[in-house]
């Protein structure tokens, strides 16, 4: 019951929809620095963990300790959003799902999609549960990532593995005519899902940029927790 309650409270379920996370090729969470794209990416992964799936988190920015801290904070925020939850039940649930999170920390220079491919093949070879999604944080979309994205596209096709990216935009850059940050517009054909996080007063406005016909839908998030603020 607690798993289901947490999924229903998830900002991912309330905005994109958890089923749409795995029904994608490339997805992006966009914002300028410090707004919350990594925190939302973690919520995407947590929703899959709560569904009983394994996830792969690849970071080019954070150490493994920092990655683990982001997940414990994200889980705590999700639990707290319900109200009172028996701490023992919450701890037991975390102990159940946490081992299904696989994290890999790279630097920008050491990142190698070939290593990720080999790692994924090891799951298949050992007949282990395969990750439902991969989240990738820290790739610099201000640079020419054509080769890296093509390699990841091939990885997506080979393993049928949806990949969700954190994508940094910049305050001073104008949006395109379609309302896209230039970082997304440069690789528009590769991404079938995209969510833009934009500061609005003391809140965050989450805008669906790409998701089939579900475009330009808007939601308000609490910047401290990334939980959706219910509209009355």
């Amino acid at each position: 019951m607690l798993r289901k309650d947490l999924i229903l409270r998830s900002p991912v379920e309330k905005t994109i929809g958890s089923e749409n996370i795995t029904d994608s090729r490339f997805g992006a969470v966009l914002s300028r620095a410090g707004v919350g794209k990594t925190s939302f990416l973690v919520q995407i992964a947590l929703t899959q963990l709560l569904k009983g799936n394994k996830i792969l988190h690849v970071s080019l920015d954070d150490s493994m300790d920092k990655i683990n801290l982001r997940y414990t904070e994200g889980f705590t925020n999700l639990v707290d959003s319900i109200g009172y939850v028996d701490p023992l039940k919450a701890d037991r649930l975390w102990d159940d799902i946490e081992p299904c999170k696989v994290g890999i920390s790279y630097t920008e220079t050491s990142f190698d999609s070939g290593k990720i491919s080999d790692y994924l093949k090891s799951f298949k070879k050992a007949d282990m549960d395969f990750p439902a999604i991969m989240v990738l944080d820290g790739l610099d979309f201000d640079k020419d990532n054509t080769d890296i994205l093509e390699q990841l596209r091939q990885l997506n096709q080979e393993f049928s593995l949806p990949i969700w990216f954190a994508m940094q935009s910049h305050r001073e850059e104008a949006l395109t005519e379609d309302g896209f940050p230039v970082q997304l517009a440069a690789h528009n054909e590769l991404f079938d899902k995209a969510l833009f996080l934009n500061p609005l007063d003391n809140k965050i406005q989450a805008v669906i940029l790409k998701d089939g016909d579900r475009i330009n839908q808007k939601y308000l998030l609490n910047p401290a927790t990334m939980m959706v603020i219910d509209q009355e």
Side-chain angles (χ1 to χ4, degrees):
M1 179 63 74
L2 181 55
R3 284 178 184 258
K4 183 178 179 180
D5 290 343
L6 292 176
I7 291 170
L8 291 175
R9 289 293 300 173
S10 166
V12 178
E13 182 67 28
K14 292 190 172 190
T15 55
I16 305 169
S18 58
E19 297 298 333
N20 286 336
I21 296 300
T22 51
D23 183 24
S24 64
R25 300 185 304 274
F26 280 5
V29 179
L30 301 99
S31 75
R32 65 182 194 236
V35 173
K37 56 187 176 297
T38 302
S39 295
F40 199 91
L41 208 63
V42 166
Q43 288 295 336
I44 287 175
L46 281 170
T47 305
Q48 292 303 310
L49 291 173
L50 289 167
K51 286 176 170 284
N53 296 326
K54 187 184 291 289
I55 67 96
L56 175 61
H57 186 120
V58 178
S59 178
L60 280 62
D61 282 335
D62 294 336
S63 66
M64 282 304 306
D65 286 343
K66 184 65 177 292
I67 292 171
N68 291 334
L69 179 61
R70 287 187 184 277
Y71 277 81
T72 54
E73 289 177 344
F75 181 76
T76 298
N77 288 335
L78 198 51
V79 170
D80 288 347
S81 73
I82 294 180
Y84 177 77
V85 174
D86 184 336
L88 291 177
K89 289 184 178 179
D91 288 345
R92 282 198 297 268
L93 177 55
W94 178 246
D95 289 342
D96 284 345
I97 68 173
E98 198 274 338
C100 296
K101 169 181 60 66
V102 180
I104 305 176
S105 179
Y106 289 103
T107 63
E108 189 174 0
T109 55
S110 67
F111 176 69
D112 183 350
S113 60
K115 292 179 182 178
I116 296 176
S117 177
D118 290 341
Y119 188 67
L120 291 171
K121 288 176 181 176
S122 71
F123 281 91
K124 297 281 191 181
K125 189 175 296 185
D127 198 26
M128 298 169 59
D129 288 339
F130 197 77
I133 63 166
M134 171 176 140
V135 296
L136 176 57
D137 184 26
L139 189 62
D140 187 352
F141 281 89
D142 291 325
K143 297 181 178 180
D144 182 3
N145 290 316
T146 303
D147 290 343
I148 292 175
L149 291 174
E150 173 57 25
Q151 292 165 10
L152 291 173
R153 186 189 67 81
Q154 293 176 9
L155 187 147
N156 161 263
Q157 290 185 333
E158 180 179 358
F159 296 102
S160 298
L161 179 68
I163 304 175
W164 279 80
F165 298 79
M167 187 180 291
Q168 183 169 316
S169 59
H170 303 288
R171 181 203 304 261
E172 66 276 9
E173 292 175 338
L175 302 178
T176 67
E177 291 183 1
D178 293 326
F180 294 173
V182 295
Q183 292 78 13
L184 177 62
H187 306 286
N188 185 35
E189 73 286 352
L190 291 175
F191 287 82
D192 54 350
K193 303 282 194 300
L195 182 78
F196 184 40
L197 305 179
N198 190 40
L200 182 67
D201 297 327
N202 61 341
K203 303 177 181 68
I204 296 172
Q205 186 182 65
V207 184
I208 294 179
L209 297 181
K210 301 192 73 174
D211 186 13
D213 294 332
R214 295 181 63 248
I215 59 172
N216 207 34
Q217 295 190 23
K218 299 176 181 179
Y219 307 84
L220 290 179
L221 309 181
N222 182 323
T225 64
M226 302 309 291
M227 296 298 113
V228 171
I229 300 171
D230 294 326
Q231 302 293 298
E232 296 183 356

